[in-house]
Amino acid sequence: MSDLERRYRWLLHAYPAAYRRTRGAEIVGTYLDLAGPDRRWPSPDDVADVLAGGVRERLRAAGAADLIPGVRLAAFLAFSTATALAGIWTVAEQVTEQSSWGVAAFGPFATTGIIVWTAWLLTAVIHALAPARWTGAAIGVTLLLTTAVVPVADLARLPRPPLFVLLPQAALGLLALAIPASSARWQRLAPLAVALAAGVTTAQLVAQRGQPYRWGNWGVFLPEAGVALLLIAMVTAAALALHRDTRGLWALLVLLTPVGLLGLYPLTEITTELINADYANFRVIAGTAATIVALTGATLVAAVAVPRRPHPNTPAINATPIRGTCPTCGRGQ
C-alpha cells in the first residue's frame, strides 16, 4: 500500500464505519486513479471532497440528510437579513445635527461602522450582478471587516458600533458563507432589494422623527428584527413541511443563534441585573453572547442526535453505484 493510498484511507474515517467497509475501496480507488503519478499527499480539493462526503453520509445515516440543504436555506435568509440591517445602519449613521449625545465623528457619519455597512451593501450588489463564485469571497472579506472594526477603531481611538450591533451582524455573515453558489435570479436579487427597501424606510422614519443619531434610539429595533427573521423562518419551515420537506425545520434551528444574538441588547440588560453589575461591560456582553451561542448550538446538536427512521427515499448503504462514477464524490472514474 502506497503512502498516498494510506492517507486517503485515513481520510475515509470521516465516513460511517459500515459505509467504509462497503465502499471504502471503491472511493479510494477513484481518487488514486485521478491523482498524478508523483503525488504523495491528497490535494486540498480531495480532502474537502472526502470530508464533505463523510459529513453527508453521517447525516444521512442519522436521518438528517436535509441538514445541509437547510443550512443553505438559512444562509440565504441570514444574508438577506444582514444586508437589510446594513441598509438601515447606512442611513441611521448619517448625522446631520447635533445632540447631547454627540456629533458626527467620522466624516459625515457617526462611527467607522459606515465602512462595514457599505461593504455589506457592495456584497449584495456583487451577489446580484457578478459571477456566482465571487459571492463567497465578498462575504468573507466583509465578515473580516465586520470583526476587524472593533480592534482597529479602538486602537485608532475612533468611534465604532457597539458589540450588540456587530455580534449579530458577524453571526449572520458567518452563516451567509454557506449561501449556494448557484441560485435562481430572484434569489440573487432579493438581498439587494431588501437592503434598498430597508434603507428607504429608515430614511422616511428619520425624516418623520427628526431624531439625531444615537445607538439607544436605533439599536432597540434589533430584537424586533430577530423576531421578524424567526417568523419568516417558521413560515418557510411550515410551508416546506406541507410537502414533506424538512429543509425549513433545519434552517429554523440553524437560525436560532443569529436570532438570539439579535436580542443581545435586552438580554445583556437582564444579565446585568441578575449578576448585580453596575453596567454591561465587555465581559457581561461577551458572556451573554457565549451563553446564547452555547444554548442554541446545543439545541441544534440535540436535534441531529435524536434517533429517527431513515427517509424512505434514502438508498441502502450497499446500493449499486452508478457505473463509472465515484458514489460519493461524483467524480468520473
Side-chain angles (χ1 to χ4, degrees):
M1 181 185 300
S2 66
D3 290 341
L4 181 60
E5 181 178 355
R6 186 179 297 107
R7 286 159 183 154
Y8 274 119
R9 288 189 178 277
W10 184 85
L11 285 175
L12 283 185
H13 284 86
Y15 287 83
Y19 199 95
R20 293 200 305 270
R21 288 193 298 269
T22 304
R23 292 188 169 178
E26 182 180 0
I27 296 174
V28 170
T30 300
Y31 283 111
L32 291 175
D33 290 342
L34 296 174
D38 298 327
R39 177 171 293 174
R40 298 184 57 190
W41 291 87
S43 68
D45 287 344
D46 286 353
V47 172
D49 256 351
V50 174
L51 295 180
V55 170
R56 284 194 297 268
E57 290 304 325
R58 288 186 180 275
L59 290 174
R60 184 176 290 115
D66 279 343
L67 174 57
I68 294 178
V71 169
R72 296 192 183 106
L73 175 58
F76 168 74
L77 295 176
F79 184 52
S80 299
T81 305
T83 56
L85 293 176
I88 292 171
W89 292 127
T90 299
V91 175
E93 289 224 30
Q94 299 179 33
V95 179
T96 57
E97 61 179 282
Q98 293 189 357
S99 71
S100 59
W101 177 79
V103 296
F106 190 71
F109 303 100
T111 75
T112 52
I114 189 62
I115 298 173
V116 175
W117 316 131
T118 303
W120 278 107
L121 295 179
L122 288 175
T123 302
V125 173
I126 290 172
H127 181 62
L129 304 177
R133 64 181 181 275
W134 291 15
T135 299
I139 293 175
V141 171
T142 304
L143 182 59
L144 181 62
L145 287 174
T146 305
T147 54
V149 71
V150 175
V152 172
D154 289 349
L155 288 173
R157 295 184 178 180
L158 292 171
R160 60 165 174 80
L163 290 178
F164 74 82
V165 171
L166 293 173
L167 282 175
Q169 191 76 18
L172 291 167
L174 188 62
L175 184 53
L177 288 172
I179 199 166
S182 57
S183 305
R185 187 61 180 171
W186 72 268
Q187 291 175 317
R188 295 174 64 84
L189 292 173
L192 180 59
V194 170
L196 293 175
V200 170
T201 303
T202 304
Q204 293 174 344
L205 290 175
V206 171
Q208 291 173 4
R209 295 181 181 180
Q211 261 185 350
Y213 175 88
R214 180 184 287 188
W215 287 116
N217 292 337
W218 295 101
V220 293
F221 81 90
L222 284 175
E224 299 174 2
V227 171
L229 176 58
L230 182 63
L231 290 176
I232 292 172
M234 291 173 65
V235 170
T236 303
L240 291 174
L242 292 176
H243 300 281
R244 297 182 178 181
D245 188 339
T246 60
R247 284 180 302 159
L249 296 174
W250 289 114
L252 178 60
L253 288 172
V254 171
L255 285 167
L256 287 180
T257 297
V259 166
L261 289 175
L262 284 167
L264 185 60
Y265 188 73
L267 291 175
T268 300
E269 292 184 336
I270 295 173
T271 303
T272 304
E273 294 179 2
L274 289 176
I275 65 175
N276 295 320
D278 295 332
Y279 63 97
N281 56 27
F282 177 82
R283 293 179 63 183
V284 174
I285 297 173
T288 305
T291 302
I292 293 171
V293 173
L295 291 176
T296 54
T299 302
L300 178 60
V301 171
V304 174
V306 170
R308 55 179 65 82
R309 294 180 179 179
H311 193 280
N313 293 330
T314 300
I317 203 166
N318 59 352
T320 303
I322 299 174
R323 180 179 178 84
T325 304
C326 172
T328 302
C329 65
R331 296 189 173 194
Q333 292 184 15

